[in-house]
Amino acid sequence: EQSVEITKQCEKFNKQSEKIDEQSVEIIKQSEKINKQSEKINEQSVEITKQSEKINEQSEEITKLHENNIRHLELKLTTMEDLTTKQSEKIDEQSVEIIKQSEKINKQSEKINEQSEEITKLHENNIRHLELKLTTMEDLTTKQSEKI
């Protein structure tokens, strides 16, 4: 009877071990997905930064054009000068807002990277914990076998 019971326990242990292996594989897959998402977010952040730089360059060019227009318009109409200046200020404000948004996205990307690292650490801790449980179960089975 003890032999039958030990066999049943071994089978249970093997099933549990298989489940642990499956969970470990799933955890690794999820971690890989998270890492891929983090990479995509980083790429998007880089792209946004590039776009922001382009917008800044365009804004500088637009500002230069506006300054030339202002000089030209000063010779013709004072009222037109005021309108052009207001447009230039709006463009500058929009440029500043775009930079702020880009910085926010970069910060969010950093947070996501940190969270991804934390998740990876948790997965690694879970795997170590499962390995410890497995070793303990193996030790118990070995001791029971030796008793028999």
Side-chain angles (χ1 to χ4, degrees):
E1 287 181 19
Q2 284 182 339
S3 184
V4 168
E5 183 61 31
I6 288 173
T7 301
K8 286 180 181 179
Q9 288 179 354
C10 284
E11 288 173 359
K12 284 181 182 178
F13 174 78
N14 286 337
K15 286 180 182 179
Q16 289 175 340
S17 178
E18 288 174 8
K19 285 181 182 179
I20 289 170
D21 288 344
E22 290 171 5
Q23 290 173 345
S24 293
V25 167
E26 186 60 31
I27 287 170
I28 291 170
K29 286 179 182 178
Q30 289 175 353
S31 179
E32 290 173 354
K33 284 181 182 179
I34 289 169
N35 287 337
K36 286 179 183 178
Q37 289 174 343
S38 178
E39 289 174 7
K40 285 181 181 178
I41 289 168
N42 284 338
E43 291 170 4
Q44 289 173 347
S45 177
V46 167
E47 187 60 34
I48 288 168
T49 302
K50 288 178 183 178
Q51 289 174 354
S52 176
E53 290 172 359
K54 286 180 183 179
I55 290 168
N56 286 337
E57 291 172 5
Q58 290 173 347
S59 176
E60 289 174 9
E61 290 174 12
I62 289 169
T63 302
K64 289 177 184 177
L65 288 173
H66 281 295
E67 290 171 357
N68 288 336
N69 285 339
I70 290 170
R71 283 189 217 103
H72 179 69
L73 293 172
E74 279 176 343
L75 299 174
K76 294 183 177 181
L77 297 168
T78 306
T79 55
M80 291 299 289
E81 173 188 302
D82 293 338
L83 291 175
T84 305
T85 301
K86 288 178 183 177
Q87 289 176 346
S88 178
E89 289 171 359
K90 284 182 181 178
I91 289 169
D92 288 342
E93 288 173 6
Q94 289 174 346
S95 178
V96 167
E97 187 60 32
I98 289 168
I99 291 170
K100 287 179 182 177
Q101 289 175 353
S102 177
E103 289 172 356
K104 285 180 184 177
I105 290 171
N106 286 339
K107 287 179 183 177
Q108 288 174 344
S109 177
E110 290 173 9
K111 286 181 182 178
I112 289 171
N113 285 338
E114 291 171 7
Q115 289 173 345
S116 176
E117 289 174 9
E118 289 175 16
I119 289 170
T120 300
K121 288 178 184 177
L122 287 173
H123 287 310
E124 290 172 356
N125 287 339
N126 285 341
I127 290 170
R128 279 190 232 107
H129 182 68
L130 292 172
E131 287 173 348
L132 181 61
K133 281 186 173 181
L134 181 63
T135 302
T136 304
M137 288 298 291
E138 288 173 350
D139 291 344
L140 287 173
T141 303
T142 303
K143 288 179 182 178
Q144 286 179 348
S145 292
E146 290 172 359
K147 285 182 181 178
I148 293 172

CSV table of all heavy atoms in Angstrom, one decimal, residues 24-56:
chain,number,residue,atom,x,y,z
A,24,SER,N,6.3,28.4,-15.9
A,24,SER,CA,7.6,29.0,-16.1
A,24,SER,C,7.7,29.4,-17.6
A,24,SER,O,8.1,30.6,-17.9
A,24,SER,CB,8.7,28.1,-15.8
A,24,SER,OG,8.8,27.8,-14.4
A,25,VAL,N,7.3,28.6,-18.5
A,25,VAL,CA,7.4,28.9,-19.9
A,25,VAL,C,6.4,30.1,-20.2
A,25,VAL,O,6.8,31.0,-20.9
A,25,VAL,CB,7.0,27.7,-20.8
A,25,VAL,CG1,6.7,28.1,-22.2
A,25,VAL,CG2,8.0,26.6,-20.7
A,26,GLU,N,5.3,30.1,-19.6
A,26,GLU,CA,4.3,31.2,-19.8
A,26,GLU,C,4.9,32.5,-19.3
A,26,GLU,O,4.8,33.6,-19.9
A,26,GLU,CB,3.0,30.9,-19.2
A,26,GLU,CG,1.9,31.9,-19.4
A,26,GLU,CD,1.6,32.0,-20.9
A,26,GLU,OE1,1.7,31.1,-21.7
A,26,GLU,OE2,1.3,33.2,-21.3
A,27,ILE,N,5.5,32.4,-18.1
A,27,ILE,CA,6.1,33.6,-17.5
A,27,ILE,C,7.2,34.2,-18.4
A,27,ILE,O,7.3,35.4,-18.6
A,27,ILE,CB,6.6,33.3,-16.1
A,27,ILE,CG1,5.5,33.1,-15.1
A,27,ILE,CG2,7.6,34.4,-15.6
A,27,ILE,CD1,5.9,32.5,-13.7
A,28,ILE,N,8.0,33.3,-18.9
A,28,ILE,CA,9.1,33.7,-19.8
A,28,ILE,C,8.5,34.4,-21.1
A,28,ILE,O,8.9,35.4,-21.5
A,28,ILE,CB,10.0,32.5,-20.2
A,28,ILE,CG1,10.8,32.1,-18.9
A,28,ILE,CG2,10.9,32.9,-21.3
A,28,ILE,CD1,11.5,30.8,-19.1
A,29,LYS,N,7.4,33.8,-21.6
A,29,LYS,CA,6.8,34.3,-22.8
A,29,LYS,C,6.2,35.7,-22.5
A,29,LYS,O,6.4,36.6,-23.3
A,29,LYS,CB,5.7,33.4,-23.3
A,29,LYS,CG,6.1,32.2,-24.0
A,29,LYS,CD,4.9,31.3,-24.4
A,29,LYS,CE,5.4,30.0,-25.1
A,29,LYS,NZ,4.2,29.2,-25.4
A,30,GLN,N,5.6,35.8,-21.4
A,30,GLN,CA,5.0,37.1,-21.0
A,30,GLN,C,6.1,38.2,-20.8
A,30,GLN,O,6.0,39.3,-21.2
A,30,GLN,CB,4.2,37.0,-19.7
A,30,GLN,CG,2.9,36.3,-19.9
A,30,GLN,CD,2.1,36.1,-18.6
A,30,GLN,OE1,2.7,36.4,-17.5
A,30,GLN,NE2,0.9,35.6,-18.7
A,31,SER,N,7.2,37.7,-20.2
A,31,SER,CA,8.3,38.6,-20.0
A,31,SER,C,8.9,39.1,-21.4
A,31,SER,O,9.2,40.3,-21.5
A,31,SER,CB,9.4,37.9,-19.2
A,31,SER,OG,10.5,38.8,-19.0
A,32,GLU,N,9.0,38.2,-22.3
A,32,GLU,CA,9.5,38.5,-23.6
A,32,GLU,C,8.5,39.5,-24.3
A,32,GLU,O,9.0,40.5,-25.0
A,32,GLU,CB,9.6,37.3,-24.5
A,32,GLU,CG,10.8,36.4,-24.0
A,32,GLU,CD,10.9,35.1,-24.8
A,32,GLU,OE1,10.0,34.7,-25.6
A,32,GLU,OE2,11.8,34.3,-24.5
A,33,LYS,N,7.2,39.3,-24.2
A,33,LYS,CA,6.2,40.2,-24.8
A,33,LYS,C,6.4,41.6,-24.2
A,33,LYS,O,6.4,42.6,-24.9
A,33,LYS,CB,4.8,39.7,-24.5
A,33,LYS,CG,4.4,38.5,-25.4
A,33,LYS,CD,3.0,38.1,-25.1
A,33,LYS,CE,2.5,37.0,-25.9
A,33,LYS,NZ,1.1,36.5,-25.6
A,34,ILE,N,6.6,41.6,-22.8
A,34,ILE,CA,6.7,42.9,-22.2
A,34,ILE,C,8.0,43.6,-22.7
A,34,ILE,O,8.0,44.8,-22.9
A,34,ILE,CB,6.8,42.7,-20.6
A,34,ILE,CG1,5.4,42.4,-20.1
A,34,ILE,CG2,7.3,44.0,-19.9
A,34,ILE,CD1,5.3,41.9,-18.7
A,35,ASN,N,9.1,42.8,-22.8
A,35,ASN,CA,10.3,43.4,-23.3
A,35,ASN,C,10.1,44.0,-24.7
A,35,ASN,O,10.7,45.0,-25.1
A,35,ASN,CB,11.4,42.4,-23.3
A,35,ASN,CG,11.9,42.1,-21.9
A,35,ASN,OD1,11.7,43.0,-21.0
A,35,ASN,ND2,12.5,41.0,-21.6
A,36,LYS,N,9.4,43.2,-25.6
A,36,LYS,CA,9.2,43.7,-27.0
A,36,LYS,C,8.3,45.0,-26.9
A,36,LYS,O,8.6,45.9,-27.7
A,36,LYS,CB,8.5,42.6,-27.8
A,36,LYS,CG,9.4,41.4,-28.2
A,36,LYS,CD,8.6,40.4,-29.0
A,36,LYS,CE,9.5,39.2,-29.3
A,36,LYS,NZ,8.8,38.2,-30.0
A,37,GLN,N,7.3,45.0,-26.1
A,37,GLN,CA,6.5,46.2,-26.0
A,37,GLN,C,7.4,47.4,-25.5
A,37,GLN,O,7.2,48.5,-26.0
A,37,GLN,CB,5.3,46.0,-25.0
A,37,GLN,CG,4.3,45.1,-25.6
A,37,GLN,CD,3.2,44.7,-24.5
A,37,GLN,OE1,3.4,44.9,-23.3
A,37,GLN,NE2,2.1,44.2,-25.0
A,38,SER,N,8.2,47.1,-24.6
A,38,SER,CA,9.1,48.2,-24.1
A,38,SER,C,10.0,48.7,-25.2
A,38,SER,O,10.2,49.9,-25.3
A,38,SER,CB,9.9,47.6,-22.9
A,38,SER,OG,10.8,48.6,-22.4
A,39,GLU,N,10.5,47.8,-26.0
A,39,GLU,CA,11.4,48.2,-27.1
A,39,GLU,C,10.6,49.0,-28.1
A,39,GLU,O,11.1,50.0,-28.6
A,39,GLU,CB,11.9,46.9,-27.8
A,39,GLU,CG,13.0,46.2,-27.0
A,39,GLU,CD,13.5,44.9,-27.7
A,39,GLU,OE1,13.1,44.6,-28.8
A,39,GLU,OE2,14.2,44.2,-27.0
A,40,LYS,N,9.3,48.6,-28.4
A,40,LYS,CA,8.5,49.4,-29.3
A,40,LYS,C,8.3,50.8,-28.8
A,40,LYS,O,8.3,51.8,-29.5
A,40,LYS,CB,7.2,48.7,-29.5
A,40,LYS,CG,7.3,47.5,-30.4
A,40,LYS,CD,5.9,46.8,-30.6
A,40,LYS,CE,6.0,45.6,-31.5
A,40,LYS,NZ,4.7,45.0,-31.7
A,41,ILE,N,8.0,50.9,-27.5
A,41,ILE,CA,7.8,52.1,-26.8
A,41,ILE,C,9.0,53.0,-26.9
A,41,ILE,O,8.9,54.2,-27.2
A,41,ILE,CB,7.3,52.0,-25.4
A,41,ILE,CG1,5.9,51.4,-25.4
A,41,ILE,CG2,7.4,53.3,-24.6
A,41,ILE,CD1,5.4,50.9,-24.0
A,42,ASN,N,10.2,52.4,-26.7
A,42,ASN,CA,11.4,53.1,-26.8
A,42,ASN,C,11.6,53.6,-28.2
A,42,ASN,O,12.0,54.8,-28.4
A,42,ASN,CB,12.6,52.2,-26.4
A,42,ASN,CG,12.7,52.1,-24.9
A,42,ASN,OD1,12.2,52.9,-24.2
A,42,ASN,ND2,13.3,51.0,-24.5
A,43,GLU,N,11.3,52.8,-29.2
A,43,GLU,CA,11.4,53.2,-30.6
A,43,GLU,C,10.5,54.4,-30.9
A,43,GLU,O,10.9,55.3,-31.6
A,43,GLU,CB,11.2,52.0,-31.5
A,43,GLU,CG,12.2,51.0,-31.5
A,43,GLU,CD,11.8,49.7,-32.3
A,43,GLU,OE1,10.7,49.7,-32.9
A,43,GLU,OE2,12.6,48.7,-32.2
A,44,GLN,N,9.3,54.3,-30.4
A,44,GLN,CA,8.3,55.3,-30.6
A,44,GLN,C,8.8,56.6,-29.9
A,44,GLN,O,8.7,57.7,-30.5
A,44,GLN,CB,6.9,55.0,-30.0
A,44,GLN,CG,6.3,53.9,-30.8
A,44,GLN,CD,5.0,53.4,-30.2
A,44,GLN,OE1,4.7,53.7,-29.0
A,44,GLN,NE2,4.2,52.7,-30.9
A,45,SER,N,9.4,56.5,-28.8
A,45,SER,CA,9.9,57.7,-28.0
A,45,SER,C,11.0,58.3,-28.8
A,45,SER,O,11.1,59.5,-29.0
A,45,SER,CB,10.4,57.2,-26.7
A,45,SER,OG,10.9,58.3,-26.0
A,46,VAL,N,11.9,57.5,-29.4
A,46,VAL,CA,13.0,58.0,-30.2
A,46,VAL,C,12.4,58.7,-31.5
A,46,VAL,O,12.8,59.8,-31.8
A,46,VAL,CB,13.9,56.9,-30.7
A,46,VAL,CG1,14.9,57.3,-31.8
A,46,VAL,CG2,14.7,56.4,-29.5
A,47,GLU,N,11.4,58.1,-32.1
A,47,GLU,CA,10.7,58.7,-33.2
A,47,GLU,C,10.1,60.1,-32.9
A,47,GLU,O,10.2,61.1,-33.6
A,47,GLU,CB,9.7,57.8,-33.8
A,47,GLU,CG,9.1,58.3,-35.1
A,47,GLU,CD,10.1,58.4,-36.2
A,47,GLU,OE1,11.1,57.7,-36.3
A,47,GLU,OE2,10.0,59.4,-37.0
A,48,ILE,N,9.4,60.1,-31.7
A,48,ILE,CA,8.8,61.3,-31.3
A,48,ILE,C,9.8,62.4,-31.0
A,48,ILE,O,9.6,63.6,-31.4
A,48,ILE,CB,7.9,61.1,-30.0
A,48,ILE,CG1,6.7,60.3,-30.4
A,48,ILE,CG2,7.5,62.4,-29.3
A,48,ILE,CD1,5.9,59.7,-29.2
A,49,THR,N,10.9,62.0,-30.4
A,49,THR,CA,12.0,63.0,-30.2
A,49,THR,C,12.5,63.5,-31.5
A,49,THR,O,12.8,64.7,-31.6
A,49,THR,CB,13.2,62.3,-29.4
A,49,THR,OG1,12.6,61.8,-28.2
A,49,THR,CG2,14.3,63.2,-29.1
A,50,LYS,N,12.7,62.6,-32.5
A,50,LYS,CA,13.2,63.1,-33.8
A,50,LYS,C,12.1,64.0,-34.4
A,50,LYS,O,12.5,65.1,-35.0
A,50,LYS,CB,13.3,61.9,-34.8
A,50,LYS,CG,14.6,61.0,-34.4
A,50,LYS,CD,14.7,59.8,-35.4
A,50,LYS,CE,15.8,58.9,-35.1
A,50,LYS,NZ,15.9,57.8,-35.9
A,51,GLN,N,10.9,63.7,-34.3
A,51,GLN,CA,9.8,64.6,-34.8
A,51,GLN,C,9.9,65.9,-34.1
A,51,GLN,O,9.7,67.0,-34.8
A,51,GLN,CB,8.5,63.9,-34.7
A,51,GLN,CG,8.3,62.8,-35.6
A,51,GLN,CD,6.9,62.0,-35.4
A,51,GLN,OE1,6.2,62.3,-34.4
A,51,GLN,NE2,6.6,61.1,-36.2
A,52,SER,N,10.1,65.9,-32.8
A,52,SER,CA,10.1,67.1,-32.0
A,52,SER,C,11.3,68.0,-32.5
A,52,SER,O,11.2,69.2,-32.6
A,52,SER,CB,10.3,66.8,-30.6
A,52,SER,OG,10.4,67.9,-29.8
A,53,GLU,N,12.4,67.3,-32.8
A,53,GLU,CA,13.6,68.1,-33.3
A,53,GLU,C,13.3,68.7,-34.7
A,53,GLU,O,13.7,69.8,-34.9
A,53,GLU,CB,14.8,67.1,-33.4
A,53,GLU,CG,15.4,66.7,-32.0
A,53,GLU,CD,16.4,65.7,-32.1
A,53,GLU,OE1,16.8,65.2,-33.2
A,53,GLU,OE2,16.9,65.3,-31.0
A,54,LYS,N,12.6,67.9,-35.5
A,54,LYS,CA,12.2,68.5,-36.8
A,54,LYS,C,11.3,69.7,-36.7
A,54,LYS,O,11.5,70.7,-37.3
A,54,LYS,CB,11.6,67.4,-37.7
A,54,LYS,CG,12.5,66.3,-38.2
A,54,LYS,CD,11.7,65.3,-39.1
A,54,LYS,CE,12.7,64.2,-39.6
A,54,LYS,NZ,11.9,63.2,-40.4
A,55,ILE,N,10.4,69.5,-35.8
A,55,ILE,CA,9.4,70.6,-35.5
A,55,ILE,C,10.2,71.8,-35.0
A,55,ILE,O,9.9,73.0,-35.4
A,55,ILE,CB,8.3,70.2,-34.5
A,55,ILE,CG1,7.4,69.2,-35.2
A,55,ILE,CG2,7.5,71.3,-34.0
A,55,ILE,CD1,6.4,68.4,-34.3
A,56,ASN,N,11.1,71.6,-34.1
A,56,ASN,CA,11.9,72.7,-33.6
A,56,ASN,C,12.7,73.4,-34.7
A,56,ASN,O,12.8,74.6,-34.8
A,56,ASN,CB,12.9,72.2,-32.5
A,56,ASN,CG,12.2,71.9,-31.2
A,56,ASN,OD1,11.1,72.4,-31.0
A,56,ASN,ND2,12.8,71.1,-30.4
